[in-house]
Amino acid sequence: IEVIVKRVFVYAVALAAVLTIFVVLIEGAQRVYRVGDAGRDWIVIGLATVMVFLVIQVALLFHARSVVTAAAQDGVRAAQVENATAVDARAAASQILAGSSALLNNESVDVTTSGEFVTVTVTADVSSVALGLTGPVTASASGVIERFRPQSER
């Protein structure tokens, strides 16, 4: 949660910086081109539209992160069951990812087992709504593989 709060703060600061730059550009454009009230309104509407799409894209990135994290967690739960295989983990993670096929592209599920532990790593690319802002989202989850332990090992 701490990482998410830091990212939200960074995005908010970046958004404030972009808005400040747009305001400075609008003021400069008004002085240079002597834009009247109607022209200024169209500039503001255009910038507001761009900002709305930017906010939507950031929200989609956060939603994609949640979906990928849920897929990794479900994959680990499936792999933790006694006698489960990597195929079971991939199937469980893929089932979660299938619900967001319009949002996520190039999904990959990697299952690694070392001793008593299993780790599922899910990576996917987020679709872009506008402005070409996209990127990979990755999440990992780990857990102990369940098995019967005799009384002497407990």
Side-chain angles (χ1 to χ4, degrees):
I1 292 178
E2 185 176 312
V3 173
I4 292 173
V5 170
K6 286 180 182 177
R7 284 187 180 177
V8 168
F9 178 74
V10 168
Y11 286 130
V13 169
L15 185 61
V18 169
L19 284 174
T20 303
I21 290 169
F22 281 141
V23 167
V24 169
L25 290 175
I26 289 172
E27 293 296 323
Q30 287 176 353
R31 278 189 231 119
V32 172
Y33 296 110
R34 307 264 185 231
V35 177
D37 288 339
R40 182 179 20 199
D41 291 345
W42 281 110
I43 292 172
V44 170
I45 289 171
L47 293 177
T49 303
V50 169
M51 297 311 297
V52 165
F53 279 112
L54 184 63
V55 169
I56 290 170
Q57 186 65 45
V58 170
L60 287 176
L61 284 169
F62 279 107
H63 177 63
R65 173 77 176 156
S66 297
V67 170
V68 169
T69 300
Q73 291 171 345
D74 277 12
V76 164
R77 279 198 276 301
Q80 285 178 307
V81 177
E82 189 173 12
N83 298 325
T85 64
V87 173
D88 299 326
R90 282 190 190 91
S94 295
Q95 186 176 6
I96 297 295
L97 294 172
S100 294
S101 60
L103 174 64
L104 302 173
N105 303 314
N106 302 326
E107 303 98 351
S108 69
V109 179
D110 183 39
V111 181
T112 56
T113 306
S114 60
E116 294 184 0
F117 294 96
V118 63
T119 301
V120 176
T121 303
V122 178
T123 304
D125 291 330
V126 181
S127 297
S128 177
V129 173
L131 307 175
L133 298 174
T134 185
V137 178
T138 303
S140 294
S142 300
V144 178
I145 299 172
E146 296 177 359
R147 68 176 182 90
F148 175 76
R149 291 186 175 90
Q151 186 68 29
S152 61
E153 290 184 20
R154 294 184 206 169

